[in-house]
Amino acid sequence: MEFENLVKLIQAVSDSELTQFSYEEKGVSLSMKKEKKEKIIAVEHASMPQVATAEVNGATMELGETKKEASFDGNVVKSPLVGTFYTAPSPEDDPFVKVGDIVSKGQVLGIVEAMKLMNEIESEYDGVIKQILVSNEDVIEFGQPLFVIE
């Protein structure tokens, strides 16, 4: 095999998804192997400042701060799961609650759809709705604050 063709072959294997390549011609054998690099992104627990990190071949890098949890005056009802938030049981119905409504523990405040299942979000507190922190059809995260009840 000519040197120029060998260089082209090495470049082709390097640019491909192959991790190993072997070639044999006229008593000459060629074997190439490359290690696959992995990228892992992790996010710290929601109650702490969230920091993303990346790990490549054993080296860890901090990518920067993402979100800090805001402080609210009152009791905060957080999402127990990831999904789509709905303020009412159907588009034609009134919302479950509005700012200023008096709620009691166990009362439905909204719905989170996750994997085609509708999950009712119930109040964990007795009190008055001071803030609604999400809108109808918002995509929400686990632990995201939804309501402030005072």
Side-chain angles (χ1 to χ4, degrees), residues 42-54:
V43 178
E44 297 294 323
H45 189 268
S47 66
M48 301 174 68
Q50 297 179 354
V51 178
T53 58

Side-chain angles (χ1 to χ4, degrees), residues 71-73 99-100 128-134 146-149:
S71 62
F72 299 103
D73 234 7
V99 173
V128 177
I129 301 285
K130 288 296 179 188
Q131 286 180 285
I132 300 175
L133 306 169
V134 290
L146 304 175
F147 300 92
V148 178
I149 299 173

Side-chain angles (χ1 to χ4, degrees), residues 70-78 97-103 109 123-134 144-150:
S71 62
F72 299 103
D73 234 7
N75 297 312
V76 179
V77 176
K78 297 179 181 180
V97 292
K98 298 182 288 293
V99 173
D101 285 357
I102 297 171
V103 294
L109 304 174
S123 176
E124 302 166 19
Y125 314 99
D126 293 327
V128 177
I129 301 285
K130 288 296 179 188
Q131 286 180 285
I132 300 175
L133 306 169
V134 290
Q144 179 177 343
L146 304 175
F147 300 92
V148 178
I149 299 173
E150 194 171 76

Side-chain angles (χ1 to χ4, degrees), residues 3-73:
F3 181 74
E4 289 175 5
N5 289 338
L6 181 61
V7 171
K8 287 180 184 176
L9 179 62
I10 291 170
Q11 187 63 44
V13 170
S14 294
D15 293 342
S16 74
E17 295 291 321
L18 292 174
T19 57
Q20 188 170 356
F21 176 81
S22 296
Y23 176 80
E24 190 170 326
E25 180 182 3
K26 297 179 185 173
V28 175
S29 65
L30 174 67
S31 180
M32 293 182 265
K33 183 177 181 179
K34 66 179 179 178
E35 297 296 322
K36 192 172 184 178
K37 295 180 181 178
E38 292 186 30
K39 183 176 180 181
I40 300 170
I41 297 178
V43 178
E44 297 294 323
H45 189 268
S47 66
M48 301 174 68
Q50 297 179 354
V51 178
T53 58
E55 185 175 325
V56 180
N57 290 340
T60 302
M61 299 172 287
E62 188 170 300
L63 299 178
E65 211 170 286
T66 53
K67 291 183 183 175
K68 283 189 177 179
E69 191 172 315
S71 62
F72 299 103
D73 234 7

Side-chain angles (χ1 to χ4, degrees), residues 110-128:
I111 295 175
V112 176
E113 177 186 4
M115 297 174 41
K116 304 290 182 196
L117 294 174
M118 300 299 180
N119 301 279
E120 293 182 340
I121 305 302
E122 297 179 350
S123 176
E124 302 166 19
Y125 314 99
D126 293 327
V128 177

